[in-house]
Amino acid sequence: MADGPTLHWYLPTHGDTATIADNQAADGSRVPSYLEPSLDNLTVLARTAENLGFEAVLTPTGSHCEDSWLATAALAQHTHALKYLVAFRPGVLSPTLAAQQVSTYQRFTGNRLALNVVTGGDDAEMRRFGDAVDKTARYRRTGEFLTIVAGILSGAEFSFDGEFYAVERARAAYPVTVRPTIYFGGSSPEAIAVAAEHADVYLTWGETPEQVAEKFERVRTAAAERGRTLRFGVRLHTVARPTAAQAWQRAEELLADLTPDQVARAHARYSTSVSEGQRRMAALTDGVLRDARSLEIEPGLWAGPSLVRDGAGTAAVGSYAEVAGVLDRYVQAGAQEFILSGYPQIDEIRHVGAGVAPLLRIGAAA
């Protein structure tokens, strides 16, 4: 894309809803606004992203959603240029199998794979997959994993003997002519070390631009010490409308049906998370349910999603020009890419693609 940051969108392989509260419903009690993550529904969103010029769509990963490799491989047959940013956890598959999947995916899709490497989740989630390795060790394991994958994708047989993996003469059946871009996030020192060594793009959730700039600088310094240069990206929601009044009205609607107890319990859980990034998101609010405008932590940056949503918890809210202005503040902080989302995805992507993207002078409006 020319003259501006690269835009990606979020692919809700866990299903989609119209409000933040609706998104909390359990599988057995789906709310009326719930949109099933069927191949047909996801294809509509993927084609919309492609038609609006977004470069890629990001999947989540975990027990709450469809498998990211299989879902996107199916979707890739229904799009032509759109890339798929596949999130996965290194601890649940072997590095040789991952390299084989990369090779097959690239050949079958015309090199439309990117990888979002997710080192872990909360301990209960990791145990669902039989992974009892502690957080610090998981980052060491991720480093070994990515070393092996890179070695195999280099084309030669690759052997490795480390703390977590031992492989002998590993290889892919077919050469990989285009290595997928590796995205990696994390706020802890261990995460930054892995990103500096192995990532192509460092991702962070949308804290304030000042906090993001400070984090980017830490990663930039760590990468420079290893003789590397990275790109930087921000994961952020949007509530973009033709006017600011319409956007803030929509933000108020997104909080509809949340209860103070829901918010307080979620805040307590997030504040004690093993994830440093999750704790930083929780610190943006005090865990008290208020009106939408009271959750604006700086002009146009809203912490509403963080009340009950884990992961990315902030949104750029306002008119198309105001949302573009928020994104520009992140660009000034060093961001070169954005992974955006909104409720529901199919509505929000149209507002951003048609209203915000042209103001950023990117290919999403071309």
Side-chain angles (χ1 to χ4, degrees), residues 39 43 47 50 74-80 84 112:
L39 181 58
T43 295
R47 285 177 171 167
E50 182 171 69
L75 287 167
Q77 310 311 306
H78 298 274
T79 53
H80 302 288
Y84 293 89
R112 290 191 284 141

Side-chain angles (χ1 to χ4, degrees), residues 3 33 71 128 170 202 208 245 248 295 305:
D3 297 326
S33 76
R128 292 187 183 103
Y202 175 78
T208 67
W248 284 105
L295 296 167

Side-chain angles (χ1 to χ4, degrees), residues 30-48:
R30 292 302 189 190
V31 295
S33 76
Y34 177 73
L35 185 68
E36 181 185 357
S38 65
L39 181 58
D40 287 345
N41 288 338
L42 293 174
T43 295
V44 170
L45 181 59
R47 285 177 171 167
T48 301

Side-chain angles (χ1 to χ4, degrees), residues 293-333:
R293 203 69 192 240
S294 297
L295 296 167
E296 187 179 21
I297 56 178
E298 66 170 56
L301 187 62
W302 185 57
S306 72
L307 294 180
V308 293
R309 186 193 190 280
D310 59 357
T314 52
V317 180
S319 68
Y320 297 151
E322 289 169 338
V323 169
V326 173
L327 298 186
D328 185 63
R329 295 206 301 274
Y330 284 111
V331 170
Q332 300 309 311

Side-chain angles (χ1 to χ4, degrees), residues 51-328:
N51 291 337
L52 288 169
F54 288 84
E55 178 160 305
V57 287
L58 168 72
T59 70
T61 187
S63 58
H64 68 293
C65 59
E66 299 285 12
D67 177 78
S68 56
W69 294 92
L70 294 176
T72 58
L75 287 167
Q77 310 311 306
H78 298 274
T79 53
H80 302 288
L82 186 70
K83 295 180 181 179
Y84 293 89
L85 183 42
V86 172
F88 74 101
R89 293 181 178 137
V92 301
L93 77 167
S94 80
T96 304
L97 176 59
Q100 182 183 41
Q101 291 179 176
V102 167
S103 174
T104 302
Y105 203 113
Q106 291 293 65
R107 288 197 312 113
F108 282 20
T109 67
N111 299 313
R112 290 191 284 141
L113 173 67
L115 299 174
N116 181 31
V117 181
V118 181
T119 292
D122 63 53
D123 290 341
E125 169 69 1
M126 301 309 293
R127 288 194 295 270
R128 292 187 183 103
F129 289 91
D131 188 354
V133 175
D134 66 62
K135 176 185 174 182
T136 300
R138 285 200 295 262
Y139 281 106
R140 297 199 306 274
R141 181 178 63 186
T142 295
E144 289 191 7
F145 183 100
L146 292 174
T147 295
I148 296 169
V149 170
I152 296 171
L153 296 183
S154 70
E157 289 187 341
F158 186 78
S159 297
F160 182 90
D161 188 7
E163 179 184 0
F164 300 96
Y165 299 105
V167 300
E168 297 180 9
R169 302 180 63 185
R171 63 184 179 85
Y174 293 89
V176 175
T177 57
V178 178
R179 188 177 71 89
T181 301
I182 294 176
Y183 291 72
F184 193 90
S187 298
S188 67
E190 297 88 352
I192 289 174
V194 173
E197 184 71 31
H198 297 281
D200 300 306
V201 181
Y202 175 78
L203 285 176
T204 184
W205 294 329
E207 301 173 54
T208 67
E210 293 73 21
Q211 290 173 307
V212 166
E214 185 275 331
K215 190 185 294 185
F216 283 172
E217 185 55 35
R218 281 190 284 139
V219 177
R220 188 178 292 110
T221 299
E225 291 170 353
R226 295 161 172 81
R228 304 187 69 238
T229 301
L230 277 59
R231 289 174 59 83
F232 295 92
V234 174
R235 172 76 180 92
L236 190 69
H237 304 284
T238 62
V239 185
R241 294 296 183 272
T243 69
Q246 291 171 327
W248 284 105
Q249 176 58 40
R250 179 59 186 147
E252 197 69 59
E253 293 168 359
L254 289 175
L255 300 180
D257 299 325
L258 282 180
T259 68
D261 182 60
Q262 269 184 299
V263 172
R265 284 187 286 110
H267 188 265
R269 185 169 69 254
Y270 299 152
S271 296
T272 58
S273 171
V274 297
S275 164
E276 183 174 334
Q278 191 64 69
R279 295 195 303 273
R280 290 169 70 109
M281 281 284 103
L284 296 175
T285 73
D286 59 4
V288 176
L289 179 61
R290 296 184 171 88
D291 66 278
R293 203 69 192 240
S294 297
L295 296 167
E296 187 179 21
I297 56 178
E298 66 170 56
L301 187 62
W302 185 57
S306 72
L307 294 180
V308 293
R309 186 193 190 280
D310 59 357
T314 52
V317 180
S319 68
Y320 297 151
E322 289 169 338
V323 169
V326 173
L327 298 186
D328 185 63

